[in-house]
């Protein structure tokens, strides 16, 4: 069987980590793309030189040309610029929207069959724009945020309770960042919902609220520590889990920014919901019951995504 091909558009902090993880997991051959000359080539060569030590076989190459992504099975997009001092959120939106336009055209021309995972911020709006620019079916284009947000939630809970991260599941909905909605009653330790753990006296209710807030601020906490960039190990690991579910048809149920067509009473926007990812891409959007408070939080999140989409449309009315 021929190896799969994974194209990474953007070879910065997350892109490089994605290449290393995809190599270590032998997901396939890897093409790193970036506008910065030498960077994808250098990172590719460096990772390739780790393969004899780690014992994995993969062709890893770097490129400035979209042609090199031809026939990719999976494309993971991290291309974009970070927000710099003096740059407003709208400035950032406009620059990254232009980047999505280029990336969408490249994918549409050379890898129209690929499963596309977008990571670039502002996530929910960028994945929406990328799907439009690429013209790929919405089931083939998805955004990564929920796996990361729920991983942070799981890690904090496991640490608090002194249990294995493997036995903690967490459920998050909504947009990435401040407006994410951690659903505590659907989050469990070995199947026991968090509110029951509070009742049992294993978890303090106030501590749980603090952990929820820390999860919401998870990205900012890391930016505050790193000072020169944002998180990249856990974001890369999260996108790799999604790619793996697609390539191996695992049909994992993962939170992801998916295109809604009537689900949750929404139409035509991307927002974080649980989905099944398998060989057919996003094979199913899982629609769960929300109580009043959860619905309100979800709506706040949807409003902020809709605001970003409106801002994109203002910049590019044809979208
Ligand atoms: O959960 C999530 N979705 C996120 C999102 C979690 C963490 C970080 N998140 C966002 O991912 C972050 O705000 C950024 O928008 C992306 C990528 O983060 P990373 O830390 O990898 O950023 P880098 O190191 O700046 O890498 C971006 C690369 C860089 O090498 C640029 O040269 C390149 O993108 N770039 C481009 N590549 C291709 N094509 C174009 N036009 C282009 N412009 C810049």
């Amino acid at each position: 069987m021929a190896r799969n091909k994974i194209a990474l558009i953007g070879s910065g902090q997350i892109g490089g980590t994605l290449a290393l993880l995809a190599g270590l997991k032998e997901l396939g051959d890897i093409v790193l793309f970036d506008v910065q000359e030498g960077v994808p080539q250098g990172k590719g060569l460096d990772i390739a030189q780790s393969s004899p030590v780690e014992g994995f076989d993969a062709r890893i190459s770097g490129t400035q040309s979209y042609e090199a992504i031809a026939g990719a099975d999976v494309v993971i997009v991290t291309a974009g610029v970070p927000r710099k001092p003096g740059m407003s959120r709208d400035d950032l939106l406009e620059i990254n929207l232009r980047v999505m336009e280029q990336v969408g055209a490249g994918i549409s021309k050379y890898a129209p069959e690929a499963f596309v995972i977008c990571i670039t911020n502002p996530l929910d709006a960028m994945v929406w724009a990328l799907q439009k620019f690429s013209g790929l079916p919405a089931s083939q284009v998805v955004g990564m945020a929920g796996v990361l947000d729920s991983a942070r939630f799981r890690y904090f809970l496991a640490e608090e309770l002194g249990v294995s991260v493997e036995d903690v599941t967490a459920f998050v909905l909504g947009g990435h960042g401040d407006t994410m909605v951690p659903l505590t009653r659907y989050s469990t330790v070995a199947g026991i919902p968090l509110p029951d753990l509070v009742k049992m006296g294993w978890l303090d209710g106030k501590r749980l609220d603090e952990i929820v807030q820390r999860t919401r601020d998870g990205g900012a906490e890391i930016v505050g520590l790193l000072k020169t960039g944002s998180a990249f190990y856990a974001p890369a690991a999260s996108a790799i889990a999604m790619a793996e579910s697609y390539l191996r048809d695992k049909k994992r149920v993962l939170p992801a920014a998916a295109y809604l067509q009537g689900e949750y009473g929404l139409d035509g926007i991307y927002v974080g919901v649980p989905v099944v990812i398998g060989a057919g891409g996003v094979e199913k959007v899982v629609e769960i019951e929300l109580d009043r408070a959860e619905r309100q939080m979800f709506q706040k999140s949807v409003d902020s995504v809709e605001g970003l989409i409106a801002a994109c449309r203002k910049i590019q009315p044809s979208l």
Side-chain angles (χ1 to χ4, degrees):
M1 207 171 68
R3 284 188 208 139
N4 287 315
K5 178 168 174 178
I6 296 142
L8 306 173
I9 311 294
S11 304
Q13 298 277 58
I14 299 180
T17 313
L18 285 168
L20 178 63
L21 290 175
L24 289 172
K25 287 178 173 256
E26 283 197 332
L27 291 187
D29 292 334
I30 300 154
V31 177
L32 284 144
F33 176 103
D34 205 288
V35 288
Q36 281 190 67
E37 261 172 60
V39 170
Q41 287 84 352
K43 289 195 178 183
L45 188 57
D46 189 8
I47 294 168
Q49 290 167 356
S50 78
S51 66
V53 184
E54 290 294 341
F56 64 84
D57 289 293
R59 281 171 54 86
I60 307 175
S61 54
T63 186
Q64 266 75 49
S65 147
Y66 274 105
E67 227 176 310
I69 74 163
D73 299 283
V74 169
V75 178
I76 308 180
V77 180
T78 58
V81 300
R83 197 163 145 198
K84 300 199 183 76
M87 194 193 275
S88 73
R89 268 179 201 279
D90 286 348
D91 295 339
L92 177 76
L93 191 77
E94 180 156 4
I95 296 170
N96 283 352
L97 193 64
R98 295 284 159 248
V99 174
M100 291 306 113
E101 191 171 9
Q102 292 166 16
V103 176
I107 294 173
S108 157
K109 183 154 183 208
Y110 294 106
E113 306 287 326
F115 181 58
V116 179
I117 303 169
C118 181
I119 305 186
T120 304
N121 269 332
L123 191 266
D124 305 86
M126 290 302 105
V127 62
W128 173 85
L130 183 63
Q131 189 272 327
K132 295 235 177 287
F133 284 130
S134 70
L136 266 61
S139 59
Q140 264 173 254
V141 184
V142 73
M144 189 295 293
V147 176
L148 172 65
D149 291 331
S150 66
R152 286 178 172 150
F153 196 25
R154 289 170 66 193
Y155 170 70
F156 295 145
L157 286 165
E159 202 188 25
E160 173 70 19
L161 298 168
V163 299
S164 166
V165 288
E166 283 188 63
D167 296 318
V168 182
T169 65
F171 208 109
V172 297
L173 277 181
H176 184 43
D178 313 345
T179 63
M180 63 169 272
V181 185
L183 293 182
T184 53
R185 68 193 177 109
Y186 289 121
S187 304
T188 75
V189 174
I192 310 163
L194 298 185
D196 289 359
L197 290 181
V198 173
K199 270 188 232 147
M200 286 156 61
W202 197 9
L203 178 62
D204 179 65
K206 219 180 116 242
R207 273 299 291 147
L208 176 57
D209 293 343
E210 285 166 10
I211 288 173
V212 165
Q213 195 52 43
R214 190 176 177 196
T215 305
R216 280 209 181 95
D217 299 337
E221 183 176 1
I222 299 213
V223 170
L225 291 165
L226 294 179
K227 299 190 178 68
T228 54
S230 51
F232 53 102
Y233 294 114
S238 302
I240 289 291
M242 295 166 72
E244 208 175 354
S245 190
Y246 171 76
L247 289 169
R248 305 203 202 281
D249 193 25
K250 282 169 74 87
K251 304 196 189 294
R252 292 197 61 193
V253 185
L254 297 169
Y259 190 74
L260 299 184
Q261 291 166 290
E263 299 92 350
Y264 293 92
L266 298 165
D267 203 15
I269 72 162
Y270 269 86
V271 68
V273 290
V275 296
V276 176
I277 296 180
V282 174
E283 295 183 350
K284 185 180 168 59
V285 171
V286 183
E287 219 176 336
I288 52 158
E289 282 296 320
L290 299 178
D291 65 25
R292 242 178 80 110
E294 290 161 352
R295 181 113 312 258
Q296 264 175 5
M297 275 193 282
F298 185 57
Q299 190 55 49
K300 213 173 123 196
S301 189
V302 168
D303 291 345
S304 100
V305 176
E306 277 174 343
L308 284 170
I309 289 179
C312 290
R313 281 211 164 103
K314 220 169 127 192
I315 299 166
Q316 177 108 0
S318 62
L319 273 171

